[in-house]
Amino acid sequence: MTERRRILLIFALLYPLGAGAVAINAFFASLIASALGARVLTPAEACIAGLLLGFPATYAFAGHIATLIKQADAEE
């Protein structure tokens, strides 16, 4: 399996979790920012932010996981 294909497979498996994590963090960050006068994101806006910002975050994490798998395979 090529490196790029491995990253895309890991990305496809982890994207729902990554998008959800980013959405939750965006929502809670907006709650914290409301103490400084910013408005709070609605849950729908937080989900949209999660879908958009979860893509690069999950892809970077998938690349990291693929590197760890490659290192583990080299040690055998």
Side-chain angles (χ1 to χ4, degrees), residues 1-72:
M1 179 179 289
T2 64
E3 184 72 20
R4 177 115 172 117
R5 181 172 281 224
R6 178 178 281 172
I7 291 173
L8 290 176
L9 177 63
I10 296 168
F11 171 79
L13 295 172
L14 292 179
Y15 180 70
L17 298 173
V22 171
I24 290 170
N25 285 325
F27 182 71
F28 283 122
S30 74
L31 287 176
I32 293 170
S34 71
L36 302 174
R39 71 178 191 86
V40 176
L41 292 177
T42 65
E45 292 170 337
C47 288
I48 291 170
L51 291 174
L52 297 175
L53 297 175
F55 191 86
T58 306
Y59 188 79
F61 186 66
H64 175 67
I65 295 298
T67 302
L68 293 175
I69 291 171
K70 188 177 177 180
Q71 287 175 358

